[in-house]
Amino acid sequence: QVQLVESGGGLAQAGGSLTLSCAASGFSFDDYATGWFRQAPGKEREVVSCISSADGTIRYADSVKGRFTMSRDAAKKTTWLQMSRLKPEDTAVYYCAADPLCRLQVDGVAYEYDYRGQGTQVTVSS
């Protein structure tokens, strides 16, 4: 059974930092890219980052580039999203995801990953 379990969400002040973790199981981690997407009320889903399992390429959405850092450890089957210089507009539920491909968008629409976790809330106060 595929499981992606996120942790590390919570409340932060603007300008602060949070690190999200995601523990994966039930699939071949080495064969899947991992990604993080977010969903805020009234806003479209946005894939903020992904890492390719094939060559380690990391992609970031423009909205988080330079502020968020994604990483993964195949031996631990874990992926992280380090978020710094947080802004109130980063408030959302953040989901860990896995798919054979590392994609942010397709035809302007957030890419749909094969697997996703249950999500963790991140709230940034101004």
Side-chain angles (χ1 to χ4, degrees), residues 7-117:
S7 60
L11 178 65
Q13 291 190 331
S17 301
L18 283 173
T19 296
L20 306 182
S21 300
C22 173
S25 62
F27 64 98
S28 179
F29 190 83
D30 288 346
D31 294 331
Y32 278 75
T34 48
W36 290 91
F37 70 92
R38 63 187 181 186
Q39 181 78 64
K43 294 186 179 180
E44 293 187 354
R45 182 169 48 88
E46 180 185 24
V47 181
V48 298
S49 185
C50 64
I51 298 179
S52 168
S53 61
D55 59 10
T57 298
I58 306 175
R59 295 186 170 90
Y60 296 100
D62 288 343
S63 59
V64 306
K65 200 171 292 183
R67 300 187 299 119
F68 290 12
T69 302
M70 187 176 176
S71 59
R72 60 185 266 161
D73 185 324
K76 296 180 179 179
K77 297 186 179 181
T78 301
T79 191
W80 296 271
L81 185 68
Q82 296 175 276
M83 306 182 293
S84 61
R85 291 158 48 200
L86 285 162
K87 304 176 181 180
E89 51 263 44
D90 293 321
T91 295
V93 178
Y94 283 72
Y95 298 86
C96 176
D99 189 89
L101 301 177
C102 170
R103 293 284 186 272
L104 300 181
Q105 292 184 338
V106 175
D107 295 330
V109 177
Y111 185 67
E112 282 278 358
Y113 281 64
D114 280 355
Y115 306 125
R116 59 185 277 182

